[in-house]
Amino acid sequence: MPNQDDQMNRRSLLKGSLLATAAVSTLGAGRVVAAPSTYEPAETASSSYSRPQQWDREVDVVVIGSGTGLVAALAAAKAGKRVLVLEKNTAPGGNTVVSGGVFWVPNNRVMKREGLHDSREMSLQYLNQLAQGQSSDEIIDAFVDNGPDMVDFIEANTSLKFRVSKLMGEVADYHPEWKGSNVKGRSLEPVQASVSMAGGLLVTSILQAFIDAGGQLLTAAPAKRLLFKENSQGHREVTGVVAEYEGELITIAARDGVLMASGGFERNSEMKKHFLRGPSPYTLGAETNTGDGIHMGMAAGADLRNMNEVWGITVYKGDAQANGQLLGGIALDAQIERRNAGCIAVNRYGERFCNEAADYDSTWRSYHSWQNWGELGYQNLPAYHIFDQRYRENYPLAGKTVDEALPSWVIKADSLEELAEKLSIDKQGLKKTVERFNEFATKGVDEDFTRGESLYDTYGVNDPKRTLGALSKPPFYGAEISPADLGTCGGLRVNGEAQVIDVFGNPIKGLYASGNCAGVGSPGSLYGGGGGTIGPAMTFAYIAGKSLAKS
């Protein structure tokens, strides 16, 4: 998480990012002849086909999604392939365009030219802990071995130059005490004059290079299904895509293959309900990320991986309900403010349930402890942030300074008991918890959740020397919080070549996947560090692009 002084309001960022993409959002979006709306599959003794009688457009490569998948599009286009990118939204970029533009790649050469050290062995050691058993040696090795080359490729083929991230500050690995952590250097960002969010710059620069290489982008052109043929052994080969453009269905032949880079399923409540390990009702992800690419891959026989995972964060419920329908509409205030001295997180029993200063992704799981008595349910939902007046005087609360009016969903009370009553929290539980936490703050040691022990815990707080601080000065404040996500990160199972694997363990020829619709994750379960979503996504897009370039 960036230092608080470096934070930009996410809503302002969105406006700037979309303006930055407007100049290239329609480049190459030439007219496509309308397709017939019916298709007649042909069958032979050795194979069956799902294809149109004739194609409306024929290219070498189709990339579905215009976020990190643009890396693959650029690699294929630079190799002389005819590449078409299909974007469901009206502007390119997906989740990446409203990100910080930071991406996490271990053992990269940018850090080495800045005098920082890393190694393949350290990277593998750290990543194997992050994976939590939800990845494989093949996937982890592919990330470590191709990530540095991906960075070099982008620098060599776009206007971008990278530096070790200044936005992330001095602690970019989120588990700095783990074996193999490198603390700083694995998080990279585009070089720019200011230290600010650069998601728009990252996307537009790669997109412009792709257009310059002869590539074509269609916006407002959602892919609808994959077309494939199947041989007598049941092995499938993807041959093209059905998409919708200007109100008509079109069929597009992809002679060398299709990359699915369409984003996750964070805007699909049914998929989240049935796949995730617990509720994540709010998201900062693009409103078009409804799991389409995963469904298309499943229809072609794809297996799935890592479907129980998200890139987790904490949000204020009131803010999320008011602004969560917008891309990037939810502020990061809850995630930032919980780390400062004088704030704790409690459940309805008034009990703390996590290290409030820990990284946001790991904290997501803390909400989902299961209560196996009574009516059953999640013990830590609902949950609340609790503050005192000293916090209010020293730090922003709900993004508001002491001179600004608080939102209506922040509750104020003269005593902890009154606050507990207003929030429907157990009064005695909250009073006991605050008393115990205040003792920890006085001693400087959190005996319950080790808050402040990790280097990460004290990085980015307004007072860098501490995150523990007593809640003792009335009035007191409280606001309901909720688990949320930057996006989901499970999807189509791939191998180390980014090929999609079917349910029988066989590669589906001509189909690749990367990003949040692929089952790669970090790789695996947890977030490696700042930019831990984008680094693996860009790397597997690069891997896919290399393969498609050779086809």
Side-chain angles (χ1 to χ4, degrees):
M1 181 69 71
N3 292 339
Q4 188 165 339
D5 291 342
D6 294 333
Q7 283 289 338
M8 293 181 63
N9 183 283
R10 198 172 182 90
R11 296 162 197 159
S12 298
L13 164 67
L14 174 62
K15 296 177 183 177
S17 296
L18 292 185
L19 287 173
T21 60
V24 292
S25 65
T26 58
L27 284 173
R31 180 75 174 98
V32 178
V33 178
S37 59
T38 58
Y39 311 103
E40 297 181 8
E43 298 203 13
T44 67
S46 61
S47 63
S48 63
Y49 291 81
S50 173
R51 61 173 176 81
Q53 294 176 333
Q54 64 180 17
W55 300 103
D56 296 298
R57 174 72 65 88
E58 296 187 29
V59 296
D60 298 316
V61 174
V62 174
V63 175
I64 300 175
S66 64
T68 55
L70 288 171
V71 177
L74 176 60
K78 293 295 288 188
K81 300 291 184 179
R82 294 174 298 162
V83 185
L84 175 65
V85 175
L86 299 174
E87 171 55 50
K88 181 180 180 181
N89 215 332
T90 55
N95 290 1
T96 307
V97 80
V98 290
S99 74
V102 178
F103 57 99
W104 190 85
V105 174
N107 203 29
N108 65 77
R109 298 179 186 96
V110 174
M111 65 188 297
K112 293 179 180 179
R113 73 187 183 212
E114 293 190 24
L116 300 172
H117 171 71
D118 202 357
S119 71
R120 186 176 190 275
E121 292 70 29
M122 289 173 61
S123 303
L124 291 174
Q125 193 172 36
Y126 186 67
L127 281 163
N128 274 295
Q129 294 176 83
L130 286 173
Q132 298 281 295
Q134 288 194 195
S135 189
S136 66
D137 290 344
E138 180 183 11
I139 296 298
I140 294 172
D141 286 350
F143 175 45
V144 171
D145 292 340
N146 287 277
D149 292 341
M150 177 273 294
V151 177
D152 293 350
F153 169 79
I154 294 176
E155 285 198 322
N157 291 280
T158 74
S159 61
L160 290 167
K161 296 300 176 186
F162 298 119
R163 66 189 179 198
V164 171
S165 177
K166 296 182 179 181
L167 187 65
M168 294 310 305
E170 293 301 313
V171 185
D173 278 7
Y174 287 170
H175 306 280
E177 285 74 37
W178 284 9
K179 292 180 179 179
S181 169
N182 208 15
V183 183
K184 179 183 178 182
R186 292 170 174 170
S187 294
L188 305 178
E189 66 189 14
V191 174
Q192 54 182 342
S194 61
V195 178
S196 60
M197 302 292 209
L201 176 61
L202 186 67
V203 168
T204 55
S205 299
I206 299 174
L207 177 55
Q208 187 63 63
F210 166 67
I211 298 297
D212 291 344
Q216 185 177 26
L217 166 71
L218 295 181
T219 56
K224 294 297 185 180
R225 63 187 177 100
L226 298 171
L227 300 175
F228 57 86
K229 61 184 180 181
E230 182 175 301
N231 66 19
S232 58
Q233 287 75 45
H235 297 164
R236 291 177 173 177
E237 177 182 352
V238 169
T239 57
V241 177
V242 178
E244 183 179 345
Y245 186 65
E246 295 187 345
E248 301 285 346
L249 293 178
I250 59 173
T251 58
I252 306 163
R255 296 194 176 280
D256 296 324
V258 174
L259 171 66
M260 193 66 70
S262 55
F265 56 94
E266 57 265 25
R267 295 285 181 170
N268 187 320
S269 59
E270 282 298 302
M271 289 184 75
K272 292 178 88 169
K273 181 189 302 180
H274 293 289
F275 282 115
L276 299 184
R277 62 176 75 238
S280 190
Y282 307 108
T283 184
L284 276 69
E287 64 273 21
T288 49
N289 287 351
T290 54
D292 303 359
I294 297 172
H295 289 151
M296 284 185 275
M298 292 170 68
D303 201 1
L304 302 176
R305 286 292 184 273
N306 213 49
M307 290 291 289
N308 54 348
E309 292 300 338
V310 303
W311 309 115
I313 58 171
T314 291
V315 297
Y316 287 121
K317 183 176 180 179
D319 179 37
Q321 288 181 327
N323 301 293
Q325 77 279 9
L326 305 172
L327 172 61
I330 307 172
L332 296 176
D333 296 331
Q335 191 55 62
I336 299 166
E337 293 166 4
R338 66 188 288 122
R339 311 183 74 240
N340 290 325
C343 174
I344 59 173
V346 301
N347 58 23
R348 63 187 179 276
Y349 303 111
E351 301 166 340
R352 290 177 66 214
F353 58 90
C354 66
N355 171 4
E356 296 90 348
D359 74 282
Y360 42 96
D361 184 50
S362 299
T363 300
W364 183 85
R365 295 194 190 187
S366 301
Y367 291 96
H368 301 133
S369 296
W370 188 251
Q371 183 171 295
N372 69 341
W373 65 89
E375 296 181 359
L376 308 183
Y378 294 101
Q379 186 171 354
N380 300 326
L381 289 175
Y384 308 86
H385 279 172
I386 306 297
F387 314 84
D388 74 342
Q389 180 62 21
R390 185 176 293 106
Y391 182 102
R392 180 82 175 107
E393 294 166 357
N394 292 331
Y395 309 111
L397 198 168
K400 306 296 184 181
T401 67
V402 69
D403 297 322
E404 297 177 294
L406 291 169
S408 60
W409 40 263
V410 177
I411 305 303
K412 179 180 178 181
D414 291 330
S415 67
L416 286 171
E417 290 85 356
E418 182 186 356
L419 183 65
E421 184 173 356
K422 288 183 175 181
L423 292 173
S424 298
I425 299 173
D426 181 86
K427 295 180 183 179
Q428 293 304 312
L430 180 59
K431 182 179 179 182
K432 183 184 297 185
T433 293
V434 171
E435 289 174 350
R436 181 171 175 81
F437 182 78
N438 288 350
E439 292 177 3
F440 295 159
T442 299
K443 292 190 294 185
V445 177
D446 179 3
E447 297 176 5
D448 289 340
F449 295 100
T450 71
R451 178 172 170 178
E453 290 187 17
S454 172
L455 180 63
Y456 180 87
D457 291 0
T458 55
Y459 139 72
V461 298
N462 274 5
D463 180 351
K465 297 180 180 178
R466 55 185 285 181
T467 181
L468 296 175
L471 286 74
S472 57
K473 184 178 180 179
F476 298 93
Y477 304 84
E480 186 171 352
I481 55 175
S482 173
D485 55 76
L486 302 171
T488 59
C489 56
L492 308 178
R493 177 186 173 190
V494 297
N495 61 17
E497 299 297 321
Q499 294 175 296
V500 175
I501 306 300
D502 70 16
V503 293
F504 300 107
N506 304 306
I508 300 174
K509 188 176 180 181
L511 182 59
Y512 300 81
S514 66
N516 286 355
C517 70
V520 173
S522 61
S525 178
L526 297 175
Y527 219 122
T533 67
I534 300 177
M538 292 172 66
T539 299
F540 274 82
Y542 172 69
I543 294 170
K546 287 197 303 179
S547 298
L548 288 162
K550 295 175 183 176
S551 299

